[in-house]
Amino acid sequence: MAIERTLSIIKPDATRRNLTGKINARFEDAGLRIIGQRRVRLSREQAEAFYAVHRARPFFNDLCSFMVSGPVVVQVLEGENAVAKNREIMGATDPAKAAPGTIRKDFAESIEANSAHGSDSLDNAKQEIAFFFSGLDIVP
Ligand code: GDP
């Protein structure tokens, strides 16, 4: 298995409830290393650019409003199979369908306010990491 990097975002519903540490513990307990991390308040422009792929979806505006509603924690996770592993730790998009023990099952408030984002492929991970981090901000 390859060592990969993936982009994670702890979303505003989770920072509002002070869940950053609990969510980070899920990643670290599963063997992923947090090698870059920053707490930021996204601008509307940044949220729209980050989710540009979803521009045509009916929930795009609501999603962008949610993502700027409070601080987020953007982070780079590294480890074996990090992209798929992080998706597994997060669980399904809809918390009602997420497996027991996943972040979204345990913490998400709704299909939109679902506590965490994780890149869905290695290619997207590279693009999403570059969106938020320069090489100097990543310390393996
Ligand atoms: P993910 O890869 O599991 O995050 O899911 P998607 O890429 O399909 O969707 C991106 C984000 O949009 C999700 O994490 C949710 O925050 C939000 N989202 C997805 N589906 C819906 C929906 O049906 N309604 C609303 N309001 N938000 C959604």
Side-chain angles (χ1 to χ4, degrees), residues 99-110:
T102 60
I103 288 170
R104 284 164 164 175
K105 181 69 172 185
D106 292 346
F107 300 129
E109 294 181 320
S110 67

Side-chain angles (χ1 to χ4, degrees), residues 24-43:
N24 279 349
R26 302 285 177 109
F27 299 138
E28 293 185 338
D29 290 349
L32 294 176
R33 214 166 260 279
I34 302 164
I35 60 168
Q37 179 164 257
R38 199 165 74 248
R39 181 172 163 108
V40 290
R41 185 81 187 244
L42 296 181
S43 68

